[in-house]
Each structure stands twice: as structure tokens, then as C-alpha cells.
Amino acid sequence: MTTQALKTLLAFSLVLIAGCAPVKEQLFDWGLQAERSMSDLNLHYVEAGPHRWAYLDSGHSNDSRPVLLLLHGFAVDKDNWLRFARHLSDYRIIAPDFPGHGDSSYLPELTYGFSQQSQWLWQFMQQLELSSVNVLGNSMGGGVALLLAQQQPQAVNSLILMDAAGVFPPQQSEFQQRLAATGDNPLVVNSKQDFKELQAFALEQPPFLPWPATDVLAQRAMARSAINRKIFADIMAETEQLRVSEENLQWLAQITAPVLIIWGEQDRVLDVSSVEIFRQHLSNTESYILPNVGHAPMLEVPQLSAQLVQAFLGQHN
């Protein structure tokens, strides 16, 4: 066989390997582990309440650094924080997967609304003996963080809301309008095309994802579509009750921790007009609206987001 023929055969073999799903999964997992290592985050598991929690941790139980607890949004997971976390080495970073998300357990007979997630989060914190933390929540994670700060004020040193759920914005977002008009939920992925459209919809500045990350993430999101629909239905059922009672606004008034609000001006999921509602009902806030940023500042502008968080935490730790 000639040298050229060998090169052709090798190239053809690599193409076949590249198209193999298990190989893509392995390559993705290697890349993910490298990203975690660059952020000094290690994967752990703990039993807390009815669930087995997966979480990333940059420290240990005797770590003297202040704790920054990072709470992800709906239908994503703890690894959304990797590139953001590496800019905050002065803090012990703990980033869990909420039950029903990522590598944490899911029990279909349970309800996964904000209130229940907050109770489970408190059980997780108790299991890790976290007595005083700074909490940062994005989207769904922000809604859970608000409840935690209201229900366990002694445990929350400061609160950071990043494009957070928890109020009804005066101006409906594109997501809310679409959901009301058609029932279509772009946050639940049923195909590779859905995943690509979700990235464009949620993120004004999508981060670089090396091959084969997009394919693997799309496949994993598709595999969780039924779970995500159930969790979203649980969240919406609780949200509709709050729309009538306005109890969520009463909760905000009870929060005593200092609050930093960071919001992407081009957020299509939760409209930036939410910021004014938070300002009206929280007693101690500062806020930043970031131009040309969508629903996930920690992914789109991780260094800038971390700088804002670092400055705020420096005042309160």
C-alpha cells in the first residue's frame, strides 16, 4: 500500500471515529474535566434530603475562605459557572446541580417548584455544614436564592441576582410572550436544531464551544426533555399562584442581606424591566445592566461579571 493510500485510509478512519457518539462523549468529558481543573473545581457527591447531589467544590471543609454558592438556572447545570469561577480564587466556590438537573438525582413523584428546591438546597447546605454563605443565582437559581435568603437569613451573608427569576417584569420578555401565545417553550430541547436556536435565543454573546461540545450538549439536553418539561410545569404552577397572591413581593421586603443585581440588557428570557421591581422591593441593593449581554452574563462576559461580583463581595466579607 502506498503512502498516499495509508494517509487516505487514516483520514477516513478518523472521520468514522469522529462520527461515533461514544467517542464524542469521551472527548467532551475530557475537555470538561480540563475546564474544571483550570477553575480548580473538583466533582463531589453527597446525600441530602431525598436526593443525591452532585456539586463542584474548589475547597474543603476546613477552608478559611468565604463561601460563594453558585446556583444555575433551569435545564442547565453546575458547569455553566466554570469560566466565571476561575476569576474568583479568593472564595471557596461551591456549585451544585439542583435535583433533577445535571448529575443530581431525579424522583418523578416529587414536585420541583421554587419552594421545594429551596428546602432541598437548605438540606444540602446543612449536610456540607455551610453556616454562612454568599449566594449567587442565575435565572431559576436566582428565584431559589431569594427564597433561601428570606427563609434562612442567618445563613445568607450576601445575595447576588443574575438575570434572576422571582418577580413579574412590567415588560413581558420575548420568552413569556412566545409561551403565552403558542405554548412553545424554547428552553426545552427536542432536537439538535432546538439546541442551536436556544443558544441564539438565550445568549447575545454565545461562548466558544470546541468540537464536539455542541453535539454532546444537544444530545444530553434532548435526553432530558421529559424531565425538563415536568420541572418547568412544577415551576409554572407555583408561579401562577404567586401571580395572584403577590406573596413573592412580600418575601423580597423581608430579605435583609445586601443584594447585587446583574442583568443582561438584551435578555429575551427574563426582561431587564425586572430590575426595577427588585429595586422597589429589596431594601439594600446595587445594580448593573450590561449592554450587549443576554440571559447568562457568567457565560457571555465571565471576567466582567466576576469583577462586579468580586467588588461587591469585597464590601460584605
Side-chain angles (χ1 to χ4, degrees), residues 80-81 83-85 87 136-139 160-164 202-207 261-267 270 272 288-309:
N80 263 21
W81 299 106
R83 297 177 186 178
F84 168 85
H87 301 290
L136 193 171
N138 170 244
S139 196
I160 303 162
L161 304 176
M162 187 176 285
D163 295 71
L203 307 175
E204 190 71 12
Q205 300 183 47
I261 303 169
I262 300 174
W263 218 278
E265 190 172 22
Q266 277 66 49
D267 191 342
L270 296 173
V272 68
Y288 296 90
I289 296 174
L290 307 181
N292 303 314
V293 175
H295 187 57
M298 72 286 187
L299 286 173
E300 300 176 58
V301 286
Q303 186 170 3
L304 173 59
S305 300
Q307 288 171 347
L308 295 174
V309 169

mmCIF file of all heavy atoms in Angstrom, residues 80-81 83-85 87 136-139 160-164 202-207 261-267 270 272 288-309:
data_model
loop_
_atom_site.group_PDB
_atom_site.id
_atom_site.type_symbol
_atom_site.label_atom_id
_atom_site.label_comp_id
_atom_site.label_asym_id
_atom_site.label_seq_id
_atom_site.Cartn_x
_atom_site.Cartn_y
_atom_site.Cartn_z
ATOM 1 N N ASN A 80 -22.058 25.507 34.016
ATOM 2 C CA ASN A 80 -22.259 26.854 33.463
ATOM 3 C C ASN A 80 -21.355 27.881 34.139
ATOM 4 O O ASN A 80 -21.142 28.970 33.594
ATOM 5 C CB ASN A 80 -23.718 27.289 33.640
ATOM 6 C CG ASN A 80 -24.549 27.037 32.398
ATOM 7 O OD1 ASN A 80 -24.206 26.221 31.557
ATOM 8 N ND2 ASN A 80 -25.664 27.735 32.296
ATOM 9 N N TRP A 81 -20.829 27.542 35.326
ATOM 10 C CA TRP A 81 -20.065 28.500 36.110
ATOM 11 C C TRP A 81 -18.551 28.390 35.912
ATOM 12 O O TRP A 81 -17.803 29.182 36.503
ATOM 13 C CB TRP A 81 -20.379 28.320 37.589
ATOM 14 C CG TRP A 81 -21.814 28.544 37.942
ATOM 15 C CD1 TRP A 81 -22.746 27.593 38.258
ATOM 16 C CD2 TRP A 81 -22.498 29.800 38.031
ATOM 17 N NE1 TRP A 81 -23.955 28.177 38.533
ATOM 18 C CE2 TRP A 81 -23.836 29.535 38.403
ATOM 19 C CE3 TRP A 81 -22.093 31.124 37.830
ATOM 20 C CZ2 TRP A 81 -24.775 30.548 38.586
ATOM 21 C CZ3 TRP A 81 -23.030 32.127 38.005
ATOM 22 C CH2 TRP A 81 -24.351 31.842 38.377
ATOM 23 N N ARG A 83 -16.055 29.004 33.633
ATOM 24 C CA ARG A 83 -15.190 30.090 33.172
ATOM 25 C C ARG A 83 -15.354 31.353 34.023
ATOM 26 O O ARG A 83 -14.451 32.178 34.097
ATOM 27 C CB ARG A 83 -15.455 30.369 31.697
ATOM 28 C CG ARG A 83 -15.103 29.175 30.825
ATOM 29 C CD ARG A 83 -15.423 29.374 29.356
ATOM 30 N NE ARG A 83 -15.188 28.138 28.605
ATOM 31 C CZ ARG A 83 -15.412 27.993 27.301
ATOM 32 N NH1 ARG A 83 -15.884 29.011 26.587
ATOM 33 N NH2 ARG A 83 -15.175 26.846 26.701
ATOM 34 N N PHE A 84 -16.477 31.485 34.667
ATOM 35 C CA PHE A 84 -16.720 32.578 35.606
ATOM 36 C C PHE A 84 -15.950 32.348 36.910
ATOM 37 O O PHE A 84 -15.294 33.251 37.426
ATOM 38 C CB PHE A 84 -18.224 32.660 35.869
ATOM 39 C CG PHE A 84 -18.650 33.532 37.011
ATOM 40 C CD1 PHE A 84 -18.837 34.896 36.830
ATOM 41 C CD2 PHE A 84 -18.899 32.984 38.263
ATOM 42 C CE1 PHE A 84 -19.256 35.698 37.888
ATOM 43 C CE2 PHE A 84 -19.313 33.772 39.314
ATOM 44 C CZ PHE A 84 -19.492 35.141 39.130
ATOM 45 N N ALA A 85 -15.994 31.123 37.413
ATOM 46 C CA ALA A 85 -15.439 30.817 38.735
ATOM 47 C C ALA A 85 -13.929 30.995 38.804
ATOM 48 O O ALA A 85 -13.384 31.317 39.868
ATOM 49 C CB ALA A 85 -15.819 29.391 39.136
ATOM 50 N N HIS A 87 -12.135 33.274 37.967
ATOM 51 C CA HIS A 87 -11.736 34.649 38.283
ATOM 52 C C HIS A 87 -12.006 35.004 39.747
ATOM 53 O O HIS A 87 -11.830 36.167 40.138
ATOM 54 C CB HIS A 87 -12.490 35.625 37.383
ATOM 55 C CG HIS A 87 -12.255 35.419 35.924
ATOM 56 N ND1 HIS A 87 -11.058 35.701 35.312
ATOM 57 C CD2 HIS A 87 -13.070 34.930 34.949
ATOM 58 C CE1 HIS A 87 -11.139 35.410 34.023
ATOM 59 N NE2 HIS A 87 -12.344 34.946 33.780
ATOM 60 N N LEU A 136 -25.134 33.291 44.843
ATOM 61 C CA LEU A 136 -25.347 33.883 43.521
ATOM 62 C C LEU A 136 -26.245 32.947 42.727
ATOM 63 O O LEU A 136 -25.915 31.782 42.534
ATOM 64 C CB LEU A 136 -24.002 34.066 42.800
ATOM 65 C CG LEU A 136 -23.964 34.935 41.539
ATOM 66 C CD1 LEU A 136 -22.513 35.175 41.111
ATOM 67 C CD2 LEU A 136 -24.722 34.346 40.350
ATOM 68 N N GLY A 137 -27.376 33.471 42.264
ATOM 69 C CA GLY A 137 -28.306 32.655 41.491
ATOM 70 C C GLY A 137 -28.618 33.275 40.148
ATOM 71 O O GLY A 137 -28.881 34.477 40.051
ATOM 72 N N ASN A 138 -28.579 32.448 39.111
ATOM 73 C CA ASN A 138 -28.963 32.873 37.773
ATOM 74 C C ASN A 138 -30.300 32.251 37.409
ATOM 75 O O ASN A 138 -30.505 31.052 37.617
ATOM 76 C CB ASN A 138 -27.891 32.442 36.764
ATOM 77 C CG ASN A 138 -28.315 32.636 35.315
ATOM 78 O OD1 ASN A 138 -28.437 31.679 34.564
ATOM 79 N ND2 ASN A 138 -28.560 33.863 34.916
ATOM 80 N N SER A 139 -31.223 33.053 36.887
ATOM 81 C CA SER A 139 -32.498 32.556 36.381
ATOM 82 C C SER A 139 -33.239 31.783 37.473
ATOM 83 O O SER A 139 -33.498 32.321 38.544
ATOM 84 C CB SER A 139 -32.258 31.705 35.127
ATOM 85 O OG SER A 139 -33.438 31.510 34.395
ATOM 86 N N ILE A 160 -26.597 37.681 45.363
ATOM 87 C CA ILE A 160 -26.341 38.217 44.027
ATOM 88 C C ILE A 160 -27.359 37.613 43.070
ATOM 89 O O ILE A 160 -27.460 36.378 42.960
ATOM 90 C CB ILE A 160 -24.915 37.894 43.562
ATOM 91 C CG1 ILE A 160 -23.903 38.446 44.564
ATOM 92 C CG2 ILE A 160 -24.665 38.487 42.168
ATOM 93 C CD1 ILE A 160 -22.531 37.831 44.446
ATOM 94 N N LEU A 161 -28.107 38.463 42.408
ATOM 95 C CA LEU A 161 -29.138 38.042 41.457
ATOM 96 C C LEU A 161 -28.652 38.334 40.047
ATOM 97 O O LEU A 161 -28.404 39.489 39.702
ATOM 98 C CB LEU A 161 -30.449 38.776 41.731
ATOM 99 C CG LEU A 161 -31.023 38.654 43.146
ATOM 100 C CD1 LEU A 161 -32.262 39.525 43.286
ATOM 101 C CD2 LEU A 161 -31.331 37.204 43.488
ATOM 102 N N MET A 162 -28.517 37.314 39.243
ATOM 103 C CA MET A 162 -28.024 37.465 37.875
ATOM 104 C C MET A 162 -29.120 37.018 36.921
ATOM 105 O O MET A 162 -29.393 35.830 36.800
ATOM 106 C CB MET A 162 -26.746 36.634 37.697
ATOM 107 C CG MET A 162 -26.034 36.843 36.376
ATOM 108 S SD MET A 162 -24.462 35.921 36.277
ATOM 109 C CE MET A 162 -23.399 36.912 37.328
ATOM 110 N N ASP A 163 -29.816 37.983 36.301
ATOM 111 C CA ASP A 163 -30.946 37.664 35.423
ATOM 112 C C ASP A 163 -31.851 36.642 36.124
ATOM 113 O O ASP A 163 -32.112 35.556 35.613
ATOM 114 C CB ASP A 163 -30.445 37.140 34.082
ATOM 115 C CG ASP A 163 -29.687 38.200 33.310
ATOM 116 O OD1 ASP A 163 -28.559 38.555 33.711
ATOM 117 O OD2 ASP A 163 -30.208 38.681 32.300
ATOM 118 N N ALA A 164 -32.320 37.026 37.303
ATOM 119 C CA ALA A 164 -32.963 36.092 38.215
ATOM 120 C C ALA A 164 -34.478 36.032 38.051
ATOM 121 O O ALA A 164 -35.133 37.038 37.767
ATOM 122 C CB ALA A 164 -32.632 36.467 39.661
ATOM 123 N N ALA A 202 -31.085 32.594 23.949
ATOM 124 C CA ALA A 202 -30.768 32.931 25.342
ATOM 125 C C ALA A 202 -29.509 33.776 25.489
ATOM 126 O O ALA A 202 -29.381 34.524 26.455
ATOM 127 C CB ALA A 202 -30.629 31.652 26.169
ATOM 128 N N LEU A 203 -28.579 33.655 24.543
ATOM 129 C CA LEU A 203 -27.272 34.285 24.690
ATOM 130 C C LEU A 203 -27.035 35.309 23.590
ATOM 131 O O LEU A 203 -27.099 34.981 22.407
ATOM 132 C CB LEU A 203 -26.168 33.231 24.657
ATOM 133 C CG LEU A 203 -26.313 32.051 25.634
ATOM 134 C CD1 LEU A 203 -25.210 31.043 25.398
ATOM 135 C CD2 LEU A 203 -26.319 32.537 27.073
ATOM 136 N N GLU A 204 -26.747 36.519 23.972
ATOM 137 C CA GLU A 204 -26.393 37.547 22.995
ATOM 138 C C GLU A 204 -24.960 37.352 22.502
ATOM 139 O O GLU A 204 -24.638 37.653 21.359
ATOM 140 C CB GLU A 204 -26.553 38.932 23.637
ATOM 141 C CG GLU A 204 -26.457 40.087 22.670
ATOM 142 C CD GLU A 204 -27.659 40.197 21.748
ATOM 143 O OE1 GLU A 204 -28.678 39.520 21.991
ATOM 144 O OE2 GLU A 204 -27.583 40.988 20.792
ATOM 145 N N GLN A 205 -24.104 36.836 23.387
ATOM 146 C CA GLN A 205 -22.708 36.563 23.046
ATOM 147 C C GLN A 205 -22.386 35.104 23.413
ATOM 148 O O GLN A 205 -21.771 34.844 24.454
ATOM 149 C CB GLN A 205 -21.756 37.492 23.800
ATOM 150 C CG GLN A 205 -21.954 38.965 23.532
ATOM 151 C CD GLN A 205 -20.932 39.818 24.264
ATOM 152 O OE1 GLN A 205 -19.733 39.553 24.252
ATOM 153 N NE2 GLN A 205 -21.410 40.869 24.924
ATOM 154 N N PRO A 206 -22.806 34.138 22.596
ATOM 155 C CA PRO A 206 -22.545 32.734 22.927
ATOM 156 C C PRO A 206 -21.051 32.478 23.077
ATOM 157 O O PRO A 206 -20.249 32.946 22.261
ATOM 158 C CB PRO A 206 -23.113 31.975 21.726
ATOM 159 C CG PRO A 206 -24.096 32.918 21.106
ATOM 160 C CD PRO A 206 -23.541 34.291 21.343
ATOM 161 N N PRO A 207 -20.634 31.745 24.121
ATOM 162 C CA PRO A 207 -19.210 31.454 24.305
ATOM 163 C C PRO A 207 -18.721 30.431 23.289
ATOM 164 O O PRO A 207 -19.515 29.664 22.727
ATOM 165 C CB PRO A 207 -19.152 30.871 25.722
ATOM 166 C CG PRO A 207 -20.508 30.259 25.921
ATOM 167 C CD PRO A 207 -21.466 31.154 25.173
ATOM 168 N N ILE A 261 -27.501 43.160 41.911
ATOM 169 C CA ILE A 261 -28.286 42.730 40.752
ATOM 170 C C ILE A 261 -27.449 42.956 39.502
ATOM 171 O O ILE A 261 -26.969 44.069 39.259
ATOM 172 C CB ILE A 261 -29.608 43.513 40.646
ATOM 173 C CG1 ILE A 261 -30.442 43.357 41.925
ATOM 174 C CG2 ILE A 261 -30.405 43.057 39.431
ATOM 175 C CD1 ILE A 261 -31.620 44.309 42.009
ATOM 176 N N ILE A 262 -27.267 41.907 38.706
ATOM 177 C CA ILE A 262 -26.571 41.991 37.423
ATOM 178 C C ILE A 262 -27.523 41.469 36.359
ATOM 179 O O ILE A 262 -28.099 40.379 36.517
ATOM 180 C CB ILE A 262 -25.274 41.157 37.427
ATOM 181 C CG1 ILE A 262 -24.305 41.662 38.510
ATOM 182 C CG2 ILE A 262 -24.601 41.193 36.056
ATOM 183 C CD1 ILE A 262 -23.060 40.803 38.664
ATOM 184 N N TRP A 263 -27.694 42.225 35.272
ATOM 185 C CA TRP A 263 -28.681 41.826 34.258
ATOM 186 C C TRP A 263 -28.161 42.131 32.855
ATOM 187 O O TRP A 263 -27.572 43.190 32.620
ATOM 188 C CB TRP A 263 -29.986 42.584 34.458
ATOM 189 C CG TRP A 263 -31.208 41.749 34.205
ATOM 190 C CD1 TRP A 263 -31.782 41.456 32.990
ATOM 191 C CD2 TRP A 263 -32.005 41.093 35.195
ATOM 192 N NE1 TRP A 263 -32.897 40.662 33.170
ATOM 193 C CE2 TRP A 263 -33.052 40.422 34.523
ATOM 194 C CE3 TRP A 263 -31.936 41.011 36.587
ATOM 195 C CZ2 TRP A 263 -34.024 39.683 35.193
ATOM 196 C CZ3 TRP A 263 -32.890 40.277 37.256
ATOM 197 C CH2 TRP A 263 -33.923 39.618 36.554
ATOM 198 N N GLY A 264 -28.394 41.210 31.943
ATOM 199 C CA GLY A 264 -28.096 41.452 30.547
ATOM 200 C C GLY A 264 -29.197 42.286 29.910
ATOM 201 O O GLY A 264 -30.381 41.927 29.981
ATOM 202 N N GLU A 265 -28.827 43.388 29.285
ATOM 203 C CA GLU A 265 -29.831 44.294 28.731
ATOM 204 C C GLU A 265 -30.643 43.643 27.620
ATOM 205 O O GLU A 265 -31.811 43.968 27.411
ATOM 206 C CB GLU A 265 -29.149 45.554 28.195
ATOM 207 C CG GLU A 265 -30.110 46.660 27.808
ATOM 208 C CD GLU A 265 -29.401 47.952 27.464
ATOM 209 O OE1 GLU A 265 -28.202 47.903 27.115
ATOM 210 O OE2 GLU A 265 -30.041 49.019 27.544
ATOM 211 N N GLN A 266 -30.049 42.676 26.915
ATOM 212 C CA GLN A 266 -30.731 42.007 25.811
ATOM 213 C C GLN A 266 -31.328 40.656 26.223
ATOM 214 O O GLN A 266 -31.527 39.779 25.375
ATOM 215 C CB GLN A 266 -29.765 41.816 24.630
ATOM 216 C CG GLN A 266 -29.636 43.039 23.730
ATOM 217 C CD GLN A 266 -28.984 44.220 24.424
ATOM 218 O OE1 GLN A 266 -27.939 44.079 25.044
ATOM 219 N NE2 GLN A 266 -29.598 45.391 24.319
ATOM 220 N N ASP A 267 -31.599 40.479 27.494
ATOM 221 C CA ASP A 267 -32.174 39.222 27.976
ATOM 222 C C ASP A 267 -33.555 39.010 27.346
ATOM 223 O O ASP A 267 -34.466 39.808 27.561
ATOM 224 C CB ASP A 267 -32.278 39.254 29.499
ATOM 225 C CG ASP A 267 -32.619 37.898 30.094
ATOM 226 O OD1 ASP A 267 -33.109 37.017 29.363
ATOM 227 O OD2 ASP A 267 -32.390 37.707 31.305
ATOM 228 N N LEU A 270 -35.876 36.645 30.617
ATOM 229 C CA LEU A 270 -36.425 37.422 31.723
ATOM 230 C C LEU A 270 -36.078 38.884 31.472
ATOM 231 O O LEU A 270 -34.908 39.272 31.534
ATOM 232 C CB LEU A 270 -35.841 36.946 33.062
ATOM 233 C CG LEU A 270 -36.193 35.503 33.451
ATOM 234 C CD1 LEU A 270 -35.430 35.083 34.704
ATOM 235 C CD2 LEU A 270 -37.694 35.341 33.675
ATOM 236 N N VAL A 272 -35.301 42.797 31.214
ATOM 237 C CA VAL A 272 -34.494 43.678 32.057
ATOM 238 C C VAL A 272 -35.362 44.599 32.917
ATOM 239 O O VAL A 272 -34.895 45.132 33.941
ATOM 240 C CB VAL A 272 -33.511 44.485 31.179
ATOM 241 C CG1 VAL A 272 -34.264 45.485 30.306
ATOM 242 C CG2 VAL A 272 -32.460 45.184 32.021
ATOM 243 N N TYR A 288 -26.335 46.542 38.116
ATOM 244 C CA TYR A 288 -25.620 46.815 36.872
ATOM 245 C C TYR A 288 -26.382 46.170 35.721
ATOM 246 O O TYR A 288 -26.710 44.977 35.787
ATOM 247 C CB TYR A 288 -24.198 46.254 36.913
ATOM 248 C CG TYR A 288 -23.323 46.894 37.958
ATOM 249 C CD1 TYR A 288 -23.266 46.371 39.252
ATOM 250 C CD2 TYR A 288 -22.567 48.028 37.668
ATOM 251 C CE1 TYR A 288 -22.474 46.956 40.225
ATOM 252 C CE2 TYR A 288 -21.772 48.627 38.633
ATOM 253 C CZ TYR A 288 -21.729 48.083 39.911
ATOM 254 O OH TYR A 288 -20.950 48.683 40.880
ATOM 255 N N ILE A 289 -26.650 46.940 34.704
ATOM 256 C CA ILE A 289 -27.264 46.429 33.477
ATOM 257 C C ILE A 289 -26.188 46.417 32.397
ATOM 258 O O ILE A 289 -25.583 47.452 32.099
ATOM 259 C CB ILE A 289 -28.473 47.284 33.066
ATOM 260 C CG1 ILE A 289 -29.565 47.184 34.144
ATOM 261 C CG2 ILE A 289 -29.008 46.837 31.708
ATOM 262 C CD1 ILE A 289 -30.748 48.109 33.913
ATOM 263 N N LEU A 290 -25.933 45.249 31.827
ATOM 264 C CA LEU A 290 -24.820 45.062 30.915
ATOM 265 C C LEU A 290 -25.293 45.101 29.468
ATOM 266 O O LEU A 290 -26.096 44.259 29.049
ATOM 267 C CB LEU A 290 -24.134 43.721 31.188
ATOM 268 C CG LEU A 290 -23.700 43.479 32.646
ATOM 269 C CD1 LEU A 290 -23.024 42.116 32.765
ATOM 270 C CD2 LEU A 290 -22.787 44.586 33.141
ATOM 271 N N PRO A 291 -24.836 46.055 28.676
ATOM 272 C CA PRO A 291 -25.245 46.127 27.266
ATOM 273 C C PRO A 291 -24.669 44.973 26.460
ATOM 274 O O PRO A 291 -23.606 44.437 26.783
ATOM 275 C CB PRO A 291 -24.667 47.471 26.805
ATOM 276 C CG PRO A 291 -23.515 47.729 27.733
ATOM 277 C CD PRO A 291 -23.914 47.141 29.047
ATOM 278 N N ASN A 292 -25.408 44.595 25.422
ATOM 279 C CA ASN A 292 -24.977 43.518 24.512
ATOM 280 C C ASN A 292 -24.756 42.194 25.225
ATOM 281 O O ASN A 292 -23.903 41.395 24.829
ATOM 282 C CB ASN A 292 -23.699 43.927 23.766
ATOM 283 C CG ASN A 292 -23.880 45.217 22.983
ATOM 284 O OD1 ASN A 292 -24.877 45.391 22.284
ATOM 285 N ND2 ASN A 292 -22.931 46.128 23.117
ATOM 286 N N VAL A 293 -25.529 41.948 26.275
ATOM 287 C CA VAL A 293 -25.461 40.697 27.035
ATOM 288 C C VAL A 293 -26.881 40.161 27.174
ATOM 289 O O VAL A 293 -27.831 40.923 27.359
ATOM 290 C CB VAL A 293 -24.819 40.911 28.423
ATOM 291 C CG1 VAL A 293 -24.864 39.627 29.248
ATOM 292 C CG2 VAL A 293 -23.374 41.392 28.279
ATOM 293 N N GLY A 294 -27.015 38.839 27.089
ATOM 294 C CA GLY A 294 -28.315 38.203 27.183
ATOM 295 C C GLY A 294 -28.612 37.659 28.564
ATOM 296 O O GLY A 294 -28.381 38.325 29.581
ATOM 297 N N HIS A 295 -29.091 36.414 28.613
ATOM 298 C CA HIS A 295 -29.634 35.834 29.842
ATOM 299 C C HIS A 295 -28.579 35.256 30.780
ATOM 300 O O HIS A 295 -28.898 34.945 31.915
ATOM 301 C CB HIS A 295 -30.633 34.734 29.452
ATOM 302 C CG HIS A 295 -31.389 34.154 30.597
ATOM 303 N ND1 HIS A 295 -32.156 34.917 31.463
ATOM 304 C CD2 HIS A 295 -31.503 32.863 31.035
ATOM 305 C CE1 HIS A 295 -32.713 34.132 32.368
ATOM 306 N NE2 HIS A 295 -32.327 32.887 32.140
ATOM 307 N N ALA A 296 -27.340 35.108 30.314
ATOM 308 C CA ALA A 296 -26.341 34.420 31.132
ATOM 309 C C ALA A 296 -25.009 35.171 31.128
ATOM 310 O O ALA A 296 -24.057 34.776 30.461
ATOM 311 C CB ALA A 296 -26.142 32.991 30.632
ATOM 312 N N PRO A 297 -24.902 36.275 31.877
ATOM 313 C CA PRO A 297 -23.659 37.048 31.899
ATOM 314 C C PRO A 297 -22.436 36.221 32.281
ATOM 315 O O PRO A 297 -21.338 36.484 31.788
ATOM 316 C CB PRO A 297 -23.940 38.138 32.940
ATOM 317 C CG PRO A 297 -25.428 38.322 32.886
ATOM 318 C CD PRO A 297 -25.973 36.937 32.650
ATOM 319 N N MET A 298 -22.595 35.214 33.154
ATOM 320 C CA MET A 298 -21.425 34.430 33.576
ATOM 321 C C MET A 298 -20.846 33.607 32.444
ATOM 322 O O MET A 298 -19.674 33.239 32.463
ATOM 323 C CB MET A 298 -21.794 33.531 34.762
ATOM 324 C CG MET A 298 -22.681 32.356 34.452
ATOM 325 S SD MET A 298 -24.402 32.863 34.147
ATOM 326 C CE MET A 298 -25.159 31.239 34.023
ATOM 327 N N LEU A 299 -21.659 33.326 31.408
ATOM 328 C CA LEU A 299 -21.182 32.631 30.222
ATOM 329 C C LEU A 299 -20.718 33.600 29.143
ATOM 330 O O LEU A 299 -19.752 33.342 28.428
ATOM 331 C CB LEU A 299 -22.289 31.745 29.645
ATOM 332 C CG LEU A 299 -22.642 30.465 30.381
ATOM 333 C CD1 LEU A 299 -23.879 29.834 29.750
ATOM 334 C CD2 LEU A 299 -21.478 29.485 30.349
ATOM 335 N N GLU A 300 -21.410 34.707 29.010
ATOM 336 C CA GLU A 300 -21.159 35.633 27.911
ATOM 337 C C GLU A 300 -20.000 36.591 28.199
ATOM 338 O O GLU A 300 -19.177 36.866 27.323
ATOM 339 C CB GLU A 300 -22.434 36.410 27.609
ATOM 340 C CG GLU A 300 -23.603 35.511 27.214
ATOM 341 C CD GLU A 300 -24.888 36.295 27.015
ATOM 342 O OE1 GLU A 300 -24.886 37.208 26.163
ATOM 343 O OE2 GLU A 300 -25.885 36.002 27.708
ATOM 344 N N VAL A 301 -19.956 37.117 29.410
ATOM 345 C CA VAL A 301 -18.878 38.025 29.823
ATOM 346 C C VAL A 301 -18.388 37.584 31.209
ATOM 347 O O VAL A 301 -18.572 38.286 32.208
ATOM 348 C CB VAL A 301 -19.343 39.500 29.828
ATOM 349 C CG1 VAL A 301 -19.459 40.026 28.400
ATOM 350 C CG2 VAL A 301 -20.685 39.662 30.549
ATOM 351 N N PRO A 302 -17.745 36.416 31.291
ATOM 352 C CA PRO A 302 -17.389 35.859 32.597
ATOM 353 C C PRO A 302 -16.439 36.734 33.418
ATOM 354 O O PRO A 302 -16.613 36.871 34.630
ATOM 355 C CB PRO A 302 -16.747 34.512 32.251
ATOM 356 C CG PRO A 302 -16.351 34.611 30.816
ATOM 357 C CD PRO A 302 -17.363 35.520 30.186
ATOM 358 N N GLN A 303 -15.453 37.331 32.758
ATOM 359 C CA GLN A 303 -14.490 38.143 33.511
ATOM 360 C C GLN A 303 -15.126 39.405 34.059
ATOM 361 O O GLN A 303 -14.945 39.752 35.236
ATOM 362 C CB GLN A 303 -13.285 38.482 32.640
ATOM 363 C CG GLN A 303 -12.173 39.204 33.402
ATOM 364 C CD GLN A 303 -10.895 39.330 32.609
ATOM 365 O OE1 GLN A 303 -10.819 38.937 31.458
ATOM 366 N NE2 GLN A 303 -9.861 39.888 33.220
ATOM 367 N N LEU A 304 -15.890 40.105 33.233
ATOM 368 C CA LEU A 304 -16.579 41.311 33.695
ATOM 369 C C LEU A 304 -17.561 40.981 34.814
ATOM 370 O O LEU A 304 -17.619 41.688 35.833
ATOM 371 C CB LEU A 304 -17.315 41.967 32.527
ATOM 372 C CG LEU A 304 -18.226 43.153 32.879
ATOM 373 C CD1 LEU A 304 -17.443 44.264 33.549
ATOM 374 C CD2 LEU A 304 -18.951 43.663 31.634
ATOM 375 N N SER A 305 -18.338 39.922 34.649
ATOM 376 C CA SER A 305 -19.295 39.519 35.685
ATOM 377 C C SER A 305 -18.580 39.230 36.994
ATOM 378 O O SER A 305 -19.023 39.641 38.075
ATOM 379 C CB SER A 305 -20.074 38.283 35.233
ATOM 380 O OG SER A 305 -20.791 38.538 34.053
ATOM 381 N N ALA A 306 -17.463 38.504 36.911
ATOM 382 C CA ALA A 306 -16.703 38.159 38.114
ATOM 383 C C ALA A 306 -16.127 39.410 38.782
ATOM 384 O O ALA A 306 -16.078 39.500 40.023
ATOM 385 C CB ALA A 306 -15.593 37.179 37.763
ATOM 386 N N GLN A 307 -15.696 40.381 38.000
ATOM 387 C CA GLN A 307 -15.168 41.625 38.570
ATOM 388 C C GLN A 307 -16.236 42.361 39.366
ATOM 389 O O GLN A 307 -15.966 42.884 40.456
ATOM 390 C CB GLN A 307 -14.622 42.514 37.452
ATOM 391 C CG GLN A 307 -13.323 42.022 36.840
ATOM 392 C CD GLN A 307 -12.920 42.808 35.600
ATOM 393 O OE1 GLN A 307 -13.722 43.570 35.046
ATOM 394 N NE2 GLN A 307 -11.694 42.616 35.140
ATOM 395 N N LEU A 308 -17.455 42.408 38.837
ATOM 396 C CA LEU A 308 -18.552 43.060 39.555
ATOM 397 C C LEU A 308 -18.864 42.322 40.853
ATOM 398 O O LEU A 308 -19.096 42.944 41.900
ATOM 399 C CB LEU A 308 -19.792 43.117 38.666
ATOM 400 C CG LEU A 308 -19.688 43.981 37.406
ATOM 401 C CD1 LEU A 308 -20.949 43.830 36.550
ATOM 402 C CD2 LEU A 308 -19.447 45.445 37.756
ATOM 403 N N VAL A 309 -18.870 41.007 40.775
ATOM 404 C CA VAL A 309 -19.139 40.192 41.965
ATOM 405 C C VAL A 309 -18.024 40.352 42.996
ATOM 406 O O VAL A 309 -18.270 40.500 44.193
ATOM 407 C CB VAL A 309 -19.318 38.712 41.571
ATOM 408 C CG1 VAL A 309 -19.331 37.809 42.799
ATOM 409 C CG2 VAL A 309 -20.598 38.533 40.755
#
